[in-house]
Amino acid sequence: MKILFVNKFFFPHGGAETVFLQEREMVKNTEGFEVIDFSMKHEKNLPSEQSEYFVDNVDYNNEHGLKSKLKVSRDFIHNQQACEKFEQLIINEKPDIVHFHNIYHQLTPSIIKIAKKHGCKTILTAHDYKVACPGYGCLIDGKVFDVKNINGSFVNLFKYQWHEGSWSKSFLMSCEAVFHGLNKSYENIDTFVAPSAFMKSMIKTRLPDANVQVIVNGIDASKTEIGEDGGYFLYCGRLSPEKGVPTLAKAHSLMKADVPLKVLGNGPVKELIEREYPNVELLGFLQGDELFNIIKNAKAVIVPSEWYENCSMSVIEAMSYGKPVVGGNIGGIPEQVLDGETGFLFEPGNAQQLADKLDILASNPELVKEMGVKARERMVNKYSLDVHKRELISLYHSLAGK
């Protein structure tokens, strides 16, 4: 069976690419499957035998003149070059299934119809809320909103300043949503893959007739093990308001127990944390063994999100090292963290409630150990790469009728 993997970046770039490249390698090494690629040209790209078909690099963050802006805006919504090269690839390679991942803006959803035109079965993995919300994150001024509010009227797509507080960018996002809504681009997807039941519900809000299958993210359980309790709490991720970092810093200052808080990552609230919460240990960006050792030896990992997390890799990584997770009760986090068993849930934005949960763990090392063991077991049984692979391959066979 030949699977065409499609993603706009063909190198490690973000969470979507982590899953995309992981799945591609996994399927490539599975007997009976052949993998081909479609992406965008970039100097960081990994090797691919199909690189001649890749589209020209598009960077929407660069400055453009008026004429260039008009072309960029058009390509943002419908990339004709991507459509032509994609069609030629399909004609030449004749894939059985096309698995789309992060295709927005540089490749555009216009290519979905081409796959269906040539008889391919189609899958789209929803790494973010783009299908439901033009601005990806279901955020207005940093606060989450209910996507049901925009149902029934494309006018409402422009009503809110969803994207970076910019009317022009919001208008472009709105035009994109209108174009693909009228063109019924997403109706040509045979199966959406949602990494969480919450994501499934969001897709169904906008596309009630869509076929959506939940396949959670996974990591290789054989490469991790239960770590030690190093006596500190840990946050890993972007330092931004919607991630709940200011709430976490405040909660740490409200704790009765004296337990260090280590924070990994960078972002717009870093200076605020440095200025107002000097007891928080900011470690910046880490990767590789240095990162994994810090996770492995934490007392617990905190995921204080105040926006709709999908299937948080931070939660899964923490569980893989036998760490309890204290997470915001929002989005897909409640599906991952079993409250009172593998960690705690708290009301997003409620610093005092978070502080209380942290104090419970700080004063009860046996509970930390017990929750950590259960977290590791849950990760192996539900969030391992083996489980992910089994469910994905089963979906491929189901779509192909084999």
Side-chain angles (χ1 to χ4, degrees):
M1 190 185 305
K2 186 178 287 189
I3 312 295
L4 169 53
F5 277 91
V6 184
N7 194 79
K8 64 184 182 182
F9 298 117
F10 203 69
F11 60 93
H13 183 267
E17 284 68 47
T18 297
V19 176
F20 156 68
L21 292 171
Q22 182 185 71
E23 286 186 349
R24 176 184 175 273
E25 191 66 22
M26 183 175 65
V27 175
K28 188 176 181 180
N29 293 325
T30 300
E31 186 177 354
F33 286 87
E34 181 182 350
V35 167
I36 56 177
D37 313 303
F38 185 69
S39 186
M40 180 176 67
K41 296 176 183 177
H42 197 282
E43 60 184 13
K44 295 182 180 179
N45 276 357
L46 300 174
S48 170
E49 294 182 6
Q50 291 77 43
S51 60
E52 64 183 283
Y53 295 98
F54 289 10
V55 302
D56 293 337
N57 185 283
V58 182
D59 186 351
Y60 291 110
N61 294 317
N62 288 342
E63 292 294 326
H64 299 276
L66 178 60
K67 185 176 180 180
S68 178
K69 281 182 178 179
L70 292 174
K71 182 183 183 301
V72 165
S73 297
R74 182 198 65 197
D75 291 346
F76 183 93
I77 296 171
H78 171 85
N79 189 325
Q80 185 61 30
Q81 185 200 44
C83 290
E84 292 171 359
K85 290 201 168 189
F86 184 66
E87 184 162 32
Q88 194 59 54
L89 174 62
I90 287 181
I91 290 172
N92 292 345
E93 293 289 346
K94 297 178 175 59
D96 299 290
I97 294 173
V98 180
H99 191 160
F100 300 99
H101 282 263
N102 186 7
I103 62 173
Y104 315 110
H105 305 163
Q106 281 86 347
L107 302 180
T108 73
S110 293
I111 63 177
I112 298 171
K113 278 187 133 177
I114 295 171
K116 289 301 293 179
K117 170 185 170 183
H118 290 278
C120 304
K121 296 296 183 180
T122 55
I123 300 171
L124 188 149
T125 295
H127 297 283
D128 50 51
Y129 299 100
K130 183 67 174 177
V131 174
C133 168
Y136 292 99
C138 300
L139 292 167
I140 300 175
D141 294 330
K143 304 294 183 182
V144 293
F145 72 96
D146 189 345
V147 294
K148 293 178 182 178
N149 293 337
I150 65 175
N151 279 357
S153 174
F154 282 119
V155 174
N156 285 335
L157 295 175
F158 183 55
K159 184 177 179 180
Y160 304 104
Q161 293 188 48
W162 287 347
H163 197 67
E164 300 176 2
S166 167
W167 284 110
S168 59
K169 291 180 180 179
S170 298
F171 179 71
L172 188 57
M173 292 281 194
S174 302
C175 290
E176 176 197 23
V178 171
F179 178 86
H180 292 295
L182 295 175
N183 203 39
K184 296 190 180 299
S185 298
Y186 296 115
E187 281 79 355
N188 286 275
I189 293 294
D190 290 308
T191 301
F192 287 89
V193 170
S196 66
F198 182 81
M199 174 62 81
K200 177 179 179 177
S201 72
M202 296 291 273
I203 294 172
K204 298 288 277 186
T205 296
R206 297 293 292 160
L207 299 169
D209 297 327
N211 176 27
V212 187
Q213 181 168 329
V214 177
I215 300 180
V216 300
N217 295 334
I219 63 175
D220 189 348
S222 68
K223 295 182 178 179
T224 60
E225 60 184 4
I226 293 179
E228 300 296 325
D229 180 353
Y232 56 87
F233 292 121
L234 178 67
Y235 169 84
C236 304
R238 180 169 166 76
L239 307 190
S240 56
E242 72 275 7
K243 287 290 189 178
V245 183
T247 298
L248 172 58
K250 183 177 180 181
H252 181 250
S253 71
L254 295 173
M255 285 182 62
K256 297 175 183 177
D258 184 15
V259 178
L261 170 63
K262 297 180 184 290
V263 170
L264 302 183
N266 292 304
V269 301
K270 182 178 181 180
E271 290 184 2
L272 181 147
I273 303 300
E274 286 177 326
R275 182 176 66 253
E276 298 188 12
Y277 302 98
N279 289 333
V280 175
E281 189 177 350
L282 294 168
L283 301 178
F285 178 78
L286 299 177
Q287 57 186 345
D289 290 341
E290 193 173 13
L291 169 63
F292 297 130
N293 284 332
I294 287 182
I295 299 173
K296 184 177 179 178
N297 294 303
K299 178 183 288 292
V301 172
I302 321 303
V303 185
S305 288
E306 296 171 18
W307 81 294
Y308 300 134
E309 293 282 357
N310 183 10
C311 182
S312 171
M313 292 300 290
S314 294
V315 173
I316 300 174
E317 287 172 351
M319 292 194 298
S320 74
Y321 289 107
K323 301 301 162 187
V325 175
V326 183
N329 190 6
I330 191 171
I333 295 176
E335 300 171 43
Q336 298 179 284
V337 179
L338 300 182
D339 191 28
E341 294 185 42
T342 64
F344 290 117
L345 296 173
F346 71 97
E347 178 187 1
N350 190 328
Q352 186 58 62
Q353 193 177 104
L354 174 55
D356 293 341
K357 302 295 184 182
L358 297 180
D359 273 324
I360 292 173
L361 294 177
S363 62
N364 198 332
E366 285 303 312
L367 179 63
V368 170
K369 185 175 181 179
E370 179 184 330
M371 283 184 163
V373 170
K374 289 182 179 179
R376 169 71 184 185
E377 290 175 354
R378 179 166 172 75
M379 176 265 159
V380 171
N381 293 331
K382 186 175 176 65
Y383 295 98
S384 70
L385 202 55
D386 288 340
V387 173
H388 183 87
K389 176 181 177 179
R390 183 171 66 245
E391 294 184 352
L392 182 64
I393 297 299
S394 176
L395 173 59
Y396 289 160
H397 283 306
S398 175
L399 278 178
K402 297 180 181 181

